[in-house]
Amino acid sequence: MKKLVLALLFVSSVLTAQDMEVVKGNFDFLKDQKDINIEFDYSNFTMMKEKKSEAQYIKEHKAELEEKAKGNGNIWEKKWIAAKEQIWTPKFLEIGNIVLAKAGKEVNFQEGLKTPYTLIVQTVWVYPGWDAGIMKQPAKVTTNLKFVETANKSNVLLEITSEEAPGDQWGSNFSNETRIGEGYAKTAKSLSKLLLKKAFK
């Protein structure tokens, strides 16, 4: 029985593994930076295995909820739109900065800073996952992480892809929005750990 549990845990970890890869550039320019501006781009991402547009996903999910209980679709749509600013972005910033602070580094990511470099977190693909109590599927978030010159954002100094960062919590989590938020937290954690190895040694 113990072997079966271990095997299931191993399979689960493989299925929810995150792949972070440096596409271009290096980390040299970050070495002496203390504050880095950050921007979040949610303008053009796809969703689900079918890679639907966000607009299509909202329309379909809203209709499903309206069928079950009138008015719930509109309530959910407002929560979904608000999640970007109230859950996803704060989760990324909070966890990313915590990892750096725990390592004793005086490096901080914030929005709206006037700094030489900007990190653009571009959402590419989102899978919200699901939770049925006994069985669950974690959310997955794929992003493109670009460090650019703030004064010339077409100049990409470092580009990193983060594939399918898993979003889940202990216990039950029946909110798609918060599960996705955990995917952004995982992305930030992995990025900060990578920066600690490569830039802020």
Side-chain angles (χ1 to χ4, degrees):
M1 184 65 183
K2 188 180 289 184
K3 287 182 179 180
L4 177 60
V5 171
L6 289 172
L8 288 172
L9 287 171
F10 175 76
V11 170
S12 175
S13 67
V14 171
L15 289 175
T16 59
Q18 176 186 9
D19 182 20
M20 189 164 276
E21 180 182 352
V22 177
V23 176
K24 63 178 286 189
N26 58 62
F27 298 80
D28 296 347
F29 67 97
L30 289 169
K31 185 178 179 182
D32 299 318
Q33 300 302 308
K34 298 298 182 185
D35 296 304
I36 299 170
N37 184 47
I38 187 166
E39 295 178 2
F40 292 84
D41 181 359
Y42 299 110
S43 63
N44 189 28
F45 63 91
T46 57
M47 296 195 61
M48 313 301 285
K49 294 176 182 178
E50 301 84 0
K51 294 193 175 181
K52 303 173 182 179
S53 68
E54 183 192 11
Q56 184 182 355
Y57 172 77
I58 290 173
K59 181 180 178 181
E60 292 176 358
H61 194 62
K62 182 179 176 181
E64 288 174 7
L65 293 173
E66 283 292 320
E67 282 184 12
K68 294 176 182 177
K70 192 172 181 180
N72 279 3
N74 287 327
I75 293 169
W76 168 80
E77 184 179 15
K78 290 178 181 178
K79 286 167 59 180
W80 174 266
I81 293 169
K84 294 166 185 174
E85 291 298 323
Q86 295 180 5
I87 302 174
W88 305 354
T89 290
K91 273 288 185 180
F92 188 103
L93 290 168
E94 179 186 11
I95 300 304
N97 286 330
I98 283 174
V99 171
L100 293 169
K102 281 186 175 179
K105 303 299 179 182
E106 295 180 7
V107 184
N108 191 254
F109 288 98
Q110 288 186 51
E111 293 180 284
L113 296 179
K114 294 181 179 179
T115 55
Y117 307 111
T118 293
L119 167 60
I120 300 175
V121 180
Q122 180 185 23
T123 300
V124 176
W125 178 78
V126 170
Y127 174 70
W130 48 268
D131 192 331
I134 298 173
M135 297 182 68
K136 62 174 70 177
Q137 180 74 252
K140 297 181 182 72
V141 177
T142 294
T143 52
N144 196 22
L145 310 168
K146 290 183 180 179
F147 287 87
V148 302
E149 279 189 300
T150 302
N152 179 19
K153 291 178 181 174
S154 62
N155 185 16
V156 180
L157 302 169
L158 173 64
E159 183 174 351
I160 302 167
T161 57
S162 172
E163 299 280 344
E164 299 191 5
D168 202 3
Q169 295 172 309
W170 290 106
S172 294
N173 183 354
F174 300 110
S175 167
N176 287 355
E177 294 76 51
T178 55
R179 275 196 307 274
I180 293 168
E182 293 303 314
Y184 283 95
K186 174 62 176 173
T187 302
K189 183 177 181 180
S190 298
L191 176 62
S192 288
K193 285 186 173 182
L194 181 62
L195 293 176
L196 287 171
K197 288 181 182 179
K198 301 291 186 179
F200 309 123
K201 299 176 184 178

